[in-house]
Amino acid sequence: MLTVRKIHPAVYSPISDLITYRALPTRSIEYVDPFLFLNHHGPQVYEPNNNGLPFGPHPHRGMETVTFILDGDIAHRDSSGHESVINAGGVQWMTAGSGLIHAEVSSDQFMEEGGKLEILQLWLNLPASLKMTKPFYKGLQKEAIPSLRLDDGKVIVNLVAGDWDGHQAAFDSHIGIQLNTIYFQPGGTVTLMVPNDHNIFFYVIKGRLNANGTVINALHLAEFDHDSSELVVTAAEDSILLFGHAKPLNEPVVSQGPFVMNTQQQIMEAYDDYRKGKFGSWH
């Protein structure tokens, strides 16, 4: 049975009026290769005539973002020409690759009417060989994301990336990442099998879970040893888990602002290319 090595609390780090907990990086853990960064926004309720999400146009290079909309919505736009509004239950996958500019704000309707908001954004590293790959974006509504009902319906697994017992997920990962959101009713149990050479990403969004005998509460990230492949997770109450696993890249990680590269020189080149307009234009 996989052993929990350490449990890391997410750090309260609000952005303007947006409630935010940062699970990666924190003082106790830098990253879980290749999972680099996680911000958990909300849960909160916005009043009518609000300003919405504050993430206006900004660049990225060398990594991918996966955005989970639990409540509310996100209006996405980028310099490659993609535009969408993804609602509650939907997921966005963006490969920054060689570089693009994007904005993630609330829809006009949300800003006018207000409502519940809870969103998570996860950054995934790209290997050196794919740092400069062509940018990509795909946004899917809840209905387009496959799900499985397990344990007599007490566990619902959303198949975001990878495959689950032969069931293909909604998104393809460049590096074979498995990624799921798992919803538990009280007493719901699921057995997760993870290759021994993979790192596990295990963040409790809501509720309280027991993982191989260790209790992990909401807003905590669990770090695991590589001593087995079986992970049995049981919910003590209504709970939501963001779960993933992947083989580590084992490459140097140099991150600065919105760029994640392998060397400081590449970071300087990213800033220079951005200033020269090589990330596309923003109108």
Side-chain angles (χ1 to χ4, degrees), residues 4 7 23 38 40 68 70 91 118 120 122 150 154-160 164 178-185 188-194 200-212 214-224 231-245:
V4 174
I7 299 173
L38 179 68
H40 180 178
F68 306 85
L70 276 64
V91 177
E118 186 171 13
L120 290 89
L122 176 67
L150 307 175
K154 289 186 288 187
V155 177
I156 297 175
V157 179
N158 293 323
L159 308 181
V160 178
W164 188 292
Q178 175 79 27
L179 202 54
N180 309 99
T181 50
I182 307 178
Y183 289 71
F184 296 82
Q185 294 179 15
T189 298
V190 65
T191 299
L192 306 168
M193 303 303 295
V194 181
I200 293 174
F201 188 86
F202 191 106
Y203 176 73
V204 181
I205 299 169
K206 172 187 175 182
R208 186 167 77 254
L209 297 173
N210 184 306
N212 286 355
T214 299
V215 174
I216 305 160
N217 293 309
L219 307 180
H220 285 77
L221 176 79
E223 187 180 8
F224 289 82
L231 179 56
V232 179
V233 183
T234 301
E237 56 191 64
D238 286 328
S239 302
I240 307 173
L241 170 66
L242 178 55
F243 172 75
H245 62 82

Side-chain angles (χ1 to χ4, degrees), residues 93 138 140 142-148 157-180:
W93 193 295
K138 182 179 179 181
L140 294 177
K142 178 180 180 179
E143 299 75 24
I145 298 171
S147 63
L148 299 174
V157 179
N158 293 323
L159 308 181
V160 178
D163 70 89
W164 188 292
D165 289 336
H167 299 276
Q168 192 60 39
F171 298 91
D172 294 320
S173 163
H174 281 291
I175 56 173
I177 285 176
Q178 175 79 27
L179 202 54
N180 309 99

